[in-house]
Amino acid sequence: MAQRCTVASAPGKVLLTGGYLVLEQAYTGLVIGTSARFYTVIKPESAGAPGTLTVRSPQFDQATWQYKAIADGDKLDFSSITTGSSNKFVETCLKFTLQIILERTGAQQVNQLLSNGIEVTIVGDNDFYSQRAQLEAKHLSNNAAALASLDPFCKTHATLSTVHKTGLGSSAALTTSLVAALLLYFKVVNDSLDKKEKVLIHNVAQFVHCFAQGKVGSGFDVSSAVWGSHRYKRFNPAILTPIMDEHVDSKVLSKALDAHNQSWDNDVTPFKLPPGFDLMLADIDAGSHTPTLVGKVLAWKKSKPEEADPLWDELGTYNSQVEQHFRQLSIYHEQDTQLYNETLAACSQLTSSEWHTVPGFIAEEFVALVKDAHHVRSLLQMMSDLSDVPIEPKEQTRLLDECASVPGVAMAVVPGAGGYDAIVCIVLSDKAKQDVRHVWESWKELSVGPLLSQADSHGITCVKLEAVPGLSAVLSD
């Protein structure tokens, strides 16, 4: 039976506010989807062995893995047949998602669609990985123009374990795109991906991602891979804890992850940056190990609740206020587009510390946004000091202050758990964007590399192969 080529795509993320706090259901985080995306392509092997799944990540060295999957009644016989390197995320994803597919479609359909084997190709946009080595090899400067000249999905000349990631949530985007592609290919969900189907993709991807990591995390990265930009409140970890078992019964697993399971109490409220606001990202070539930072902050919070709890509450309040200012500005844009655009144009030519000189109630909202965003930063700096964790390291503070002093910059922050991974700027104009990039290029204290991603509120999508520049070329490599 001829089977079409299936392509699913999921975005990376930036946690603009809510670092650390999103681990608790009492607080929310503001997560922005990015234009950098992962793509999973599934097509039948032309003459493969029945039940064989060949997975390729052509951007990496030594990155082909093979698995065998045969459905026998309601049991899935799944095994890795690769000698050499393993891929925990891919293997976990295939094993459990195929179990759920078998539970929903029956053995006949699973075996039929695997009758000649399938070929799975997974690639991520260049922004997910540091391109410094690539640029150096081509004798190019580390700037936006040079990055834009690189081929799409270019080779990293590294293995999966040695590649330098930029912190956009590659494992979550990869997992979500692979889960979605499998569910699409085996006809558990349709190309239209309605809300219920996205909930199923979300629940399965959350489980698989947590299982592969060996713990139930906050889940905001998988959530944004499915839903794009939104305000996120986490699910109760107790949903997943009982099924985090290699030998979990597939009926129990399928029921727990079902879109109709009301125990999933995560909250997703759609969000978009106001018109005229743009997101800029940079990769800092120092890197931080996020789980280590999180572990230390949580240990501090547990040992000194009298210090930590009031700080978290205040941070939660100001995070929410930053979000409300953004939402209010979008409302003002709808109510009086002309005045909004005039205010935006005036503010884009001034530093944020001068915005109070612009008249009008919309300008007051701009000023309030900057004030509360700045307060969030000062609270994170306080948390840095009290927990002795480099959430906003002093080197980052100097860089962020410099970015924030550029005309037309509304915010400059370290996203997520902070550390040395990345910085984010929110800007009001292309001129501000160019000026910020100039700061990055001339910065000496840290090696700052621009990323090309922008804010993009689209989550998981089913796309046509030919609609993605460079994707067909990668498949024929």
Side-chain angles (χ1 to χ4, degrees):
M1 180 176 107
Q3 171 73 17
R4 64 192 166 80
C5 168
T6 296
V7 188
S9 164
K13 55 71 195 168
V14 175
L15 188 63
L16 196 59
T17 65
Y20 301 98
L21 276 67
V22 284
L23 289 160
E24 296 185 17
Q25 284 193 292
Y27 305 102
T28 61
L30 196 55
V31 56
I32 311 288
T34 70
S35 53
R37 300 179 76 87
F38 255 83
Y39 298 86
T40 297
V41 183
I42 304 183
K43 57 187 181 124
E45 288 268 26
S46 45
T52 306
L53 301 97
T54 303
V55 181
R56 297 167 57 239
S57 281
Q59 290 164 292
F60 296 99
D61 300 337
Q62 302 146 34
T64 300
W65 303 274
Q66 279 197 309
Y67 308 92
K68 191 92 172 170
I70 306 285
D72 181 10
D74 60 356
K75 292 275 184 287
L76 182 77
D77 184 14
F78 180 87
S79 58
S80 168
I81 50 176
T82 305
T83 53
S85 75
S86 62
N87 186 325
K88 181 95 165 131
F89 282 97
V90 165
E91 189 168 328
T92 305
C93 201
L94 291 174
K95 177 186 167 182
F96 288 117
T97 309
L98 286 170
Q99 275 186 32
I100 286 156
I101 289 165
L102 173 60
E103 189 63 36
R104 285 163 179 263
T105 66
Q108 187 181 352
Q109 182 159 319
V110 171
N111 288 334
Q112 190 177 23
L113 288 172
L114 286 173
S115 57
N116 289 327
I118 60 172
E119 185 180 292
V120 182
T121 305
I122 307 171
V123 290
D125 277 324
N126 292 345
D127 262 10
F128 283 101
Y129 308 110
S130 174
Q131 302 299 333
R132 291 162 199 273
Q134 187 86 342
L135 294 169
E136 280 169 25
K138 292 180 178 249
H139 306 293
L140 294 171
S141 303
N142 191 3
N143 60 35
L147 282 173
S149 74
L150 298 177
D151 290 338
F153 315 115
C154 66
K155 294 197 184 300
T156 59
H157 304 292
T159 62
L160 263 181
S161 58
T162 60
V163 73
H164 180 118
K165 296 178 180 179
T166 58
L168 289 183
S170 54
S171 64
L174 178 157
T175 299
T176 305
S177 74
L178 179 52
V179 166
L182 289 165
L183 294 175
L184 282 159
Y185 189 86
F186 287 90
K187 299 180 165 45
V188 174
V189 299
N190 298 309
D191 292 4
S192 56
L193 294 181
D194 65 24
K195 186 169 183 211
K196 274 279 181 280
E197 292 174 330
K198 285 184 178 177
V199 171
L200 176 66
I201 292 166
H202 168 271
N203 295 356
V204 175
Q206 286 288 14
F207 167 72
V208 170
H209 194 243
C210 290
F211 196 98
Q213 288 188 316
K215 63 176 176 38
V216 181
S218 70
F220 79 87
D221 44 6
V222 168
S223 188
S224 64
V226 175
W227 303 108
S229 306
H230 61 278
R231 176 176 73 228
Y232 176 72
K233 178 171 81 74
R234 74 156 307 148
F235 56 87
N236 187 331
I239 298 158
L240 293 183
T241 311
I243 54 172
M244 294 276 282
D245 175 6
E246 191 77 44
H247 307 292
V248 62
D249 180 82
S250 46
K251 280 189 171 50
V252 172
L253 181 68
S254 191
K255 194 174 173 189
L257 304 180
D258 190 86
H260 296 281
N261 180 357
Q262 296 299 309
S263 303
W264 285 89
D265 54 354
N266 50 307
D267 186 36
V268 171
T269 308
F271 175 81
K272 263 188 175 172
L273 286 172
F277 282 68
D278 207 350
L279 182 85
M280 295 181 69
L281 297 162
D283 162 40
I284 308 295
D285 194 25
S288 293
H289 188 240
T290 301
T292 307
L293 298 183
V294 172
K296 285 182 176 174
V297 168
L298 294 182
W300 160 72
K301 186 172 188 287
K302 195 175 175 184
S303 67
K304 296 193 172 168
E306 71 291 343
E307 223 174 52
D309 293 352
L311 179 55
W312 278 45
D313 285 343
E314 190 178 353
L315 201 42
T317 300
Y318 277 89
N319 285 340
S320 295
Q321 285 176 204
V322 166
E323 180 200 342
Q324 287 314 313
H325 295 312
F326 280 133
R327 291 189 188 278
Q328 188 59 53
L329 285 167
S330 294
I331 291 167
Y332 285 155
H333 174 266
E334 279 176 34
Q335 289 172 348
D336 192 337
T337 306
Q338 187 181 341
L339 181 59
Y340 177 92
N341 288 340
E342 287 168 3
T343 308
L344 183 83
C347 290
S348 69
Q349 292 174 38
L350 300 168
T351 64
S352 61
S353 62
E354 299 168 314
W355 288 358
H356 67 276
T357 63
V358 179
F361 64 96
I362 297 180
E364 287 171 10
E365 199 69 41
F366 275 80
V367 171
L369 166 69
V370 170
K371 184 164 164 281
D372 287 349
H374 194 76
H375 194 64
V376 167
R377 262 190 74 196
S378 66
L379 290 168
L380 287 172
Q381 289 164 355
M382 197 184 297
M383 200 199 290
S384 260
D385 292 340
L386 292 171
S387 62
D388 197 26
V389 175
I391 299 166
E392 187 184 301
K394 298 289 185 272
E395 300 95 314
Q396 294 280 56
T397 297
R398 290 189 281 275
L399 174 59
L400 294 173
D401 288 346
E402 189 67 25
C403 294
S405 68
V406 170
V409 174
M411 283 172 76
V413 296
V414 285
Y420 292 95
D421 270 347
I423 63 165
V424 175
C425 294
I426 306 278
V427 298
L428 307 185
S429 69
D430 286 342
K431 171 84 168 71
K433 193 178 252 194
Q434 287 168 4
D435 292 346
V436 167
R437 284 193 172 141
H438 184 68
V439 169
W440 293 349
E441 282 170 36
S442 56
W443 198 253
K444 296 286 184 279
E445 192 177 0
L446 293 163
S447 175
V448 188
L451 300 180
L452 300 179
S453 303
Q454 296 173 299
D456 183 356
S457 44
H458 296 97
I460 189 78
T461 52
C462 173
V463 293
K464 295 259 187 295
L465 182 64
E466 58 276 12
V468 184
L471 194 51
S472 296
V474 172
L475 296 185
S476 55
D477 272 4

